[in-house]
């Protein structure tokens, strides 16, 4: 097994753009020839578009793009710009009267970080789609949908940390599998191999970390509003051939990567979602793919917090451990 660039997994083009002043952005994944995809949503507060399209009972067997963005439900219009770009370039499902690009989307809540009146929109989606197809620019850190991402928010935004977007991919023989994750969790982040907390809720003087789970155990009183900026969203993709039903199962197994690296996770205030995408024809075992998906997701989560830079008054891992 060896690490490979996430952009080498298969024919998926990734573009991203962000508004750094407003602390929001989007990341777009395009498969010009289409991609089989499944989805598993575990959080209680998702902001999403075309989710039902990925139900194995639905007719469409492929989609053309996935959008990860900020702006919560306000940002769902980002996909309109992606659809416009794809239509202009002859990519979509041919209905006989028009090409209809099939674009799924999930958003994080980043409105509490920068300018809440500025959200990803169709123009930003169009530009990210253009970059994906003409000048792919994916990188980890404070980019794309990770621009306004933060973690560790149970004690309020004054004690959270800056996070971002992260990736990791591996190859075993011909099999390739990778993940891109936007980490915007209510909970803390742990190194899944050692169990060590590496990011999350800051202590009272903001010089180190404390445990969200221990903080929550201090009182069982109902917290009035947890929606201060949550949801971890992810795309797992592989060059193995799987259908929608298999991909939904792989996405579900990939959530084990969330559970290993984020605590608490899948709360009522998170919209935790994972897309699993097949973009090849390699024969591979479904359960092996699910196991590996969880591993690459966990490592991508680590990359998201360690590659982030402190911004908007929130420190990053590198600020606590230069």
């Amino acid at each position: 097994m060896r690490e490979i660039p996430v952009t080498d997994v298969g024919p998926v083009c990734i573009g991203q753009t962000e508004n750094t002043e407003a602390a929001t952005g989007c990341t777009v994944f395009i498969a010009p020839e289409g991609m089989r995809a499944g989805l598993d949503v575990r959080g209680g507060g998702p902001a999403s578009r075309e989710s039902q399209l990925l139900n194995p009972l639905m007719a469409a067997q492929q989609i053309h793009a996935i959008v990860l963005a900020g702006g919560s439900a306000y940002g769902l219009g980002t996909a309109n710009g992606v659809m416009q770009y794809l239509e202009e370039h002859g990519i979509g499902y041919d209905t006989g009267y028009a090409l209809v690009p099939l674009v799924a989307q999930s958003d994080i809540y980043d409105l509490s970080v920068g300018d809440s009146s500025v959200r990803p929109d169709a123009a930003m989606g169009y530009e990210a789609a253009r970059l994906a197809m003409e000048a792919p620019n994916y990188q980890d850190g404070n980019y794309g949908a990770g621009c306004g991402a933060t973690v560790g928010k149970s004690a309020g935004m004054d004690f959270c940390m800056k996070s971002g977007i992260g990736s990791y991919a591996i190859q075993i023989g011909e099999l390739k599998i990778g993940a891109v994750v936007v980490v915007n969790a209510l909970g803390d982040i742990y190194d899944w191999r050692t169990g060590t907390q590496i990011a999350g809720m800051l202590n009272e003087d903001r010089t180190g970390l404390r445990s969200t789970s221990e903080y929550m155990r201090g009182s069982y009183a109902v917290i009035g509003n947890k929606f201060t900026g949550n949801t971890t969203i992810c795309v797992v993709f592989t060059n193995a051939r799987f259908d929608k039903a298999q991909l939904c199962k792989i996405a579900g197994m990939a959530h084990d990567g969330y559970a290993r690296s984020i605590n608490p996770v899948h709360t009522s205030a998170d919209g935790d979602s994972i897309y699993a995408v097949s973009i090849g024809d390699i024969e591979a075992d479904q359960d092996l793919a699910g196991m590996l998906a969880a591993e690459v997701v966990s490592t991508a989560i680590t990359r998201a917090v360690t590659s982030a830079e402190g911004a908007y008054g929130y420190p990053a891992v590198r600020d606590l451990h230069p």
Side-chain angles (χ1 to χ4, degrees):
M1 185 175 77
R2 65 184 180 90
E3 181 180 355
I4 60 173
V6 74
T7 50
D8 286 355
V9 172
V12 169
C13 307
I14 310 175
Q16 49 191 11
T17 187
E18 60 280 325
N19 183 325
T20 54
E21 291 185 3
T24 196
C26 69
T27 303
V28 175
F29 305 76
I30 297 175
E33 302 302 319
M35 52 186 165
R36 297 172 293 277
L39 172 66
D40 191 293
V41 180
R42 299 286 176 93
S48 56
R49 171 173 171 158
E50 294 282 35
S51 298
Q52 193 62 16
L53 195 65
L54 305 183
N55 183 322
L57 297 178
M58 299 299 106
Q61 295 303 304
Q62 293 187 328
I63 62 174
H64 303 98
I66 295 173
V67 179
L68 305 181
S72 189
Y74 289 109
L76 292 174
T78 306
N80 292 338
V82 178
M83 290 184 69
Q84 179 185 344
Y85 181 89
L86 295 179
E87 181 186 27
E88 289 174 358
H89 290 79
I91 299 171
Y93 178 76
D94 190 353
T95 66
Y97 294 94
L99 284 177
V100 181
L102 302 180
V103 181
Q105 180 173 349
S106 291
D107 289 355
I108 66 169
Y109 187 109
D110 55 7
L111 303 178
S112 53
V113 177
D115 185 345
S116 63
S117 68
V118 177
R119 301 98 181 219
D121 57 13
M124 184 178 281
Y126 186 96
E127 177 62 10
R130 186 192 68 79
L131 289 168
M133 294 292 288
E134 301 174 19
N137 65 339
Y138 178 80
Q139 57 182 318
D140 295 344
N142 297 20
Y143 302 101
C147 183
T150 50
V151 294
K153 288 163 276 195
S154 280
M157 296 299 288
D158 289 342
F159 298 101
C160 73
M161 289 181 64
K162 185 70 183 72
S163 180
I165 192 170
S167 64
Y168 183 67
I170 58 172
Q171 181 171 356
I172 302 175
E174 291 185 296
L175 176 65
K176 300 176 182 179
I177 188 164
V180 173
V181 187
V182 182
V183 182
N184 190 60
L186 179 74
D188 300 324
I189 309 302
Y190 292 80
D191 183 321
W192 71 282
R193 297 185 185 278
T194 66
T196 303
Q197 184 180 349
I198 56 177
M201 187 190 297
L202 296 169
N203 58 22
E204 293 286 354
D205 60 8
R206 294 167 52 90
T207 60
L209 298 171
R210 55 179 160 163
S211 167
T212 292
S213 62
E214 291 300 319
Y215 175 84
M216 292 177 70
R217 290 172 193 176
S219 172
Y220 53 79
V222 176
I223 299 174
N225 181 14
K226 298 176 185 175
F227 292 87
T228 53
N230 313 307
T231 294
T232 298
I233 49 180
C234 171
V235 178
V236 171
F237 39 102
T238 178
N239 67 342
R241 182 175 184 85
F242 298 111
D243 61 28
K244 278 204 294 184
Q246 291 173 308
L247 289 164
C248 286
K249 180 59 178 176
I250 290 169
M253 293 181 70
H255 272 282
D256 291 347
Y258 280 16
R260 292 169 185 163
S261 299
I262 305 171
N263 187 39
V265 71
H266 303 145
T267 74
S268 62
D270 289 290
D272 298 332
S273 305
I274 296 180
Y275 297 88
V277 173
S278 171
I279 46 175
D281 291 305
I282 300 299
E283 294 292 330
D285 182 78
Q286 172 185 324
D287 294 321
L288 170 66
M291 180 186 75
L292 295 176
E295 293 182 5
V296 296
V297 165
S298 280
T299 303
I301 288 171
T302 299
R303 295 275 176 89
V305 296
T306 56
S307 62
E309 298 180 2
Y312 316 111
Y314 305 118
V317 169
R318 63 182 65 186
D319 299 313
L320 298 185
H321 307 287

